[in-house]
Structure formats: C-alpha cells, structure tokens
Amino acid sequence: MSGVEVITFGCRLNTYESEVMRAEAEKAGLNNAILVNTCAVTGEAVRQARQAIRRARRDHPHARIIVTGCAAQTEKETFAGMAEVDAVLGNEEKLKSASYRALPDFGVSAEEKLRVNDIMSVRATAPQMVKHIDGHVRAFIQVQNGCDHRCTFCIIPYGRGNSRSVPMGAVVDQAHKLVDGGYCEIVLTGVDATSYGADLPGTPTLGLLAKTLLKQVPDIRRLRLSSIDGIEADSHLFDLIAGETRFMPHLHLSLQHGDDMILKRMKRRHSSADARAFADQVRRLRPEISLGADMIAGFPTETEEMFENAMRLAEDCGIAHLHVFPYSPRPGTPAARMPQLDRALVKDRAARLRATGAALHARHLDGMVGSEQTLLVENNGLAHTENFTLVDAAGLKPRALVPVTITGHNGKHLTMQVKQMAAA
C-alpha cells in the first residue's frame, strides 16, 4: 500500500482526531502506514482493536502499523507486546507530526516501540485544524478533551487526562474553515463537553460557545452537540434549545442508569429525579426535541429492582435513541473491585434494556409520521432529520438538505416523500 490509512474506533472525538493524525503523519512524510486509533470504553472495544490490527497485518504484511488512542494510552504494554505492531503512540503524541518523524525502525523491542507520555501532565488542548472529515457529511469540531470526574466504571480519564478546553476563537476559526469547505452541519464534541470553559479565562460555557459560533459563523446551517451531562447544562444552552432554529432539536445524554443507589455507586453527579426534570424542561422548551442516552446494564450490585428502575427512567424520559452497554469491568477502576454479577445475567439485562429501547424508538417513529422535516443526506442512502432520526433517502444526493414529508416507517427508519417546491 502507499500513503496513510487510518482505522478508527470509538467516539466522534476519535473520528475528528483521526483526520488530524492523517494530516500530521503525511506532513511528516510517513508512507505505507496504517494508524489504528483505538477506544478503551469497553473490553470489547479493545478486543476489536486487537483483531483489526491482526487483520491489517495479514492484509498488508509490509506496512508499518502504529497504534494509538485511548486503549493504547491505558494498555500500552498490551499493544507494544503484539508482534504485528511497529509503534505505540499516546493520545497526546498522536496529534504531532514530530511523533511520526521519530518512529523507530522495524525490529525494535517492545520498550522501544512506546511513545506514550503521562497524559495527566497535559494541561492544555491545542486547536487542531482540519479541512474535512473523511467519509462524513457532517463535520466534527473538538472543543474539549479529558475529564475531571472519576465515575467508578470509567477508564477514559486515564486515557484522556484532565479536562481542558479549546479557546473559543480557535473553535470559531475551525468552524469557518469547515463551512467554507462545504459542510452545512457542525457537531461540537469532547470527552466531557459540558465542562467546556472551566479552565479558560472568563470561564465561558458550552452554551455560550454554541451561541457565539452561530453568531460569528452565520453560514452554519445546523449545529449539534455530542454527548452531554444534563446536570451541567447552562442557561445559554437552554436559550438555544428554546429559540434558535439552527440548533438542532436532539440531545444525547450520559444517563448511565436510573436507580439512585447505582448512580451513587457509579459516582454520577445526577439523580434519577434530575434526569426526569431535565427531560421535562427541554421538552417544554422544544416539543419536537428527541433524546438519546447511554445506559449501562448489569452494573455491580445491581438488583432486579434497581434494573427495573433503569428501564422505568428510560421510559419516563422518553429516550428515543437508547445506547445500551452491558457492564464491562475495566481493570484499574473502582467498579471492577465491586461484587460482580454473573455474565449471563448482565447479558440478559442488556437484551431486556435494548428491547425497551426498541419499543421507545418505535413509539418515536410513530409520532413523526406526517411531520415535515429537512433531511441531511448521508453517503449510504440514509439521512437524518433535525432531531437525528434516520430516514430512508435512497436516490437523494449526499450532503444535500432536502425538505420532505414523513410518510411512515419500517420499524427502524422513517420513509418520506420529497416536498415539491412551489413554482416561482
């Protein structure tokens, strides 16, 4: 092979950083190389990364394979010990062209493969400019990195470091660049996005950043947020939800559970009542809003009653897009030392929670039939409505914004009819 290929796992932030990695590696003159940007959020994510590395070596026996990302940061020796891997870079090192110029030659020891520094020593996030996001019709902008919280199940702070924000001016500059490149939808992303600004002069908030972007980059047609903590939502964010049509009516919440005791054992900062109150408030402000959420099934010590509380919260909040994770113990986290549930029980509860999510999604689809929407058409024959619901859009031009009437659904995707434009 020639050039640089990037294999990306995990979140939108990783997707954004993969474009930075590609640009920095090419700037350094790297060639015939595969960069694997890993995720550490679950043991399954790490397993998939190892599998992809072995497959990449089989398919490209003479390519240089460089592994980076959160799993490489938290399990560096694991990846350095793989015969298929030529180098391991940390999450900070992967964004610098100098790291790729300094790569060791083939045949070095596992220790010499490593270029992973202490992520906790990183105190700032430098703005990273990209011109496009490969394969995506919406553009992501990193506004924040790291996390100051220590949820008992989560290894990510040890892969990303403490919270640090990108200065507002740099975010505005990046948005201008992406809009000039043809993107009409921007997604603001981070590890703990709603903590944005606490480390910046004047302590701006995520909501204020979003307001500023829409004012200073008027050609942004649609603005979204990645996953947020509702407990950290600020008044500027509520203003946008209530009154800004370019701010899309969809929020993805980091709920994790619906039982108050489990939430405490997770060291989450919200209660089940907080979650219900947030859902009620945003629906009062924007009735058409849809909510997504992450929830964990089978957390240590979870009883049947506690699990039923989680299902009840998803129903009470009307979660239209539920992402279910069977609990996965991550070595080094407090939850991994708690009394664990039988894996078969964890799997069963995850399946039951997914069934709840499927029923809620079907109810959401029913409620959208007959509505008028504007779609952003993807590259795969699908499209997203303003509230991030998938629509079958076969035959429509990718990247286009298309007004439609929703005619029905097939249980997974909405169906539509393109609205006829009135004659001039």
Side-chain angles (χ1 to χ4, degrees):
M1 61 174 289
S2 61
V4 176
E5 177 184 341
V6 184
I7 301 172
T8 306
F9 293 89
C11 62
R12 291 184 176 99
L13 182 56
N14 254 14
T15 299
Y16 178 84
E17 289 178 336
S18 286
E19 292 304 318
V20 178
M21 289 164 47
R22 186 195 311 273
E24 295 300 312
E26 290 174 348
K27 186 190 303 183
L30 197 65
N31 191 34
N32 189 29
I34 299 170
L35 312 182
V36 183
N37 198 6
T38 63
C39 173
V41 72
T42 64
E44 176 63 15
V46 177
R47 186 194 70 79
Q48 290 177 1
R50 289 169 57 84
Q51 185 179 54
I53 291 164
R54 295 189 183 101
R55 184 166 55 248
R57 176 55 73 214
R58 289 195 301 270
D59 294 344
H60 303 283
H62 303 297
R64 181 172 288 192
I65 296 179
I66 299 117
V67 181
T68 184
C70 289
Q73 185 75 44
T74 59
E75 301 183 34
K76 57 187 178 183
E77 291 85 1
T78 297
F79 291 98
M82 294 181 68
E84 297 87 352
V85 174
D86 296 300
V88 180
L89 299 181
N91 259 334
E92 184 71 5
E93 290 74 28
K94 72 182 183 182
L95 304 175
K96 300 174 180 177
S97 60
S99 301
Y100 299 101
R101 286 194 294 269
L103 285 173
D105 294 328
F106 291 107
V108 297
S109 69
E111 290 75 17
E112 291 172 305
K113 291 180 181 181
L114 289 171
R115 297 289 188 274
V116 182
N117 291 332
D118 177 13
I119 197 68
M120 294 300 178
S121 67
V122 180
R123 293 289 179 255
T125 290
Q128 306 290 342
M129 295 293 180
V130 300
K131 294 181 179 179
H132 71 281
I133 310 294
D134 190 43
H136 290 265
V137 301
R138 63 181 51 81
F140 309 130
I141 300 180
Q142 176 190 2
V143 303
Q144 182 272 343
N145 205 341
C147 185
D148 289 339
H149 311 298
R150 295 295 182 266
C151 297
T152 58
F153 56 85
C154 187
I155 196 68
I156 297 305
Y158 306 99
R160 288 286 181 176
N162 292 313
S163 182
R164 50 210 189 272
S165 308
V166 178
M168 194 177 295
V171 178
V172 170
D173 290 344
Q174 175 67 97
H176 275 298
K177 186 181 293 290
L178 290 166
V179 168
D180 290 345
Y183 288 96
C184 60
E185 182 169 307
I186 301 291
V187 184
L188 304 184
T189 187
V191 175
D192 181 27
T194 33
S195 71
Y196 176 84
D199 56 325
L200 295 178
T203 60
T205 61
L206 181 65
L208 181 59
L209 171 65
K211 271 187 179 179
T212 302
L213 267 181
L214 289 169
K215 181 178 180 180
Q216 296 193 13
V217 192
D219 288 337
I220 295 176
R221 302 280 297 278
R222 293 158 65 126
L223 182 67
R224 294 190 188 276
L225 304 180
S226 62
S227 181
I228 68 166
D229 257 340
I231 200 70
E232 292 183 316
D234 65 285
S235 60
H236 294 293
L237 182 55
F238 288 123
D239 288 345
L240 288 171
I241 293 169
E244 174 54 75
T245 57
R246 291 184 295 156
F247 186 83
M248 294 294 96
H250 170 260
L251 295 171
H252 190 83
L253 308 177
S254 181
L255 291 183
Q256 307 307 346
H257 213 274
D259 180 82
D260 287 333
M261 180 56 70
I262 292 295
L263 288 168
K264 288 181 180 178
R265 290 171 180 166
M266 288 179 164
K267 290 191 71 173
R268 299 296 294 164
R269 288 160 295 134
H270 68 271
S271 67
S272 59
D274 293 328
R276 289 182 173 89
F278 180 82
D280 289 344
Q281 182 175 4
V282 297
R283 283 209 171 87
R284 283 195 303 271
L285 296 173
R286 194 85 170 265
E288 72 272 25
I289 200 167
S290 74
L291 299 178
D294 295 331
M295 295 190 79
I296 295 172
F299 187 80
T301 76
E302 180 189 77
T303 65
E304 178 64 22
E305 181 182 0
M306 292 170 172
F307 172 69
E308 289 174 358
N309 285 338
M311 291 195 295
R312 189 174 301 113
L313 181 75
E315 292 170 348
D316 290 349
C317 292
I319 302 301
H321 314 281
L322 186 62
H323 293 186
V324 176
F325 297 86
Y327 171 74
S328 174
R330 307 301 291 125
T333 61
R337 300 190 294 272
M338 296 178 185
Q340 305 290 306
L341 302 188
D342 181 80
R343 294 310 300 172
L345 179 59
V346 172
K347 184 177 180 180
D348 175 70
R349 287 182 178 170
R352 290 166 60 193
L353 190 54
R354 288 191 184 104
T356 295
L360 289 169
H361 185 62
R363 187 187 311 169
H364 169 70
L365 296 178
D366 287 340
M368 292 195 66
V369 175
S371 67
E372 296 185 351
Q373 303 286 331
T374 299
L375 309 183
L376 176 61
V377 184
E378 310 283 346
N379 294 316
N380 56 1
L382 296 173
H384 280 99
T385 64
E386 292 99 326
N387 67 8
F388 210 62
T389 306
L390 277 171
V391 183
D392 185 346
L396 296 185
K397 182 180 178 181
R399 285 200 175 201
L401 287 174
V402 182
V404 303
T405 299
I406 301 303
T407 57
H409 67 84
N410 61 9
K412 292 184 178 181
H413 307 142
L414 295 167
T415 57
M416 60 80 195
Q417 181 175 5
V418 176
K419 292 176 64 176
Q420 299 298 316
M421 303 301 291

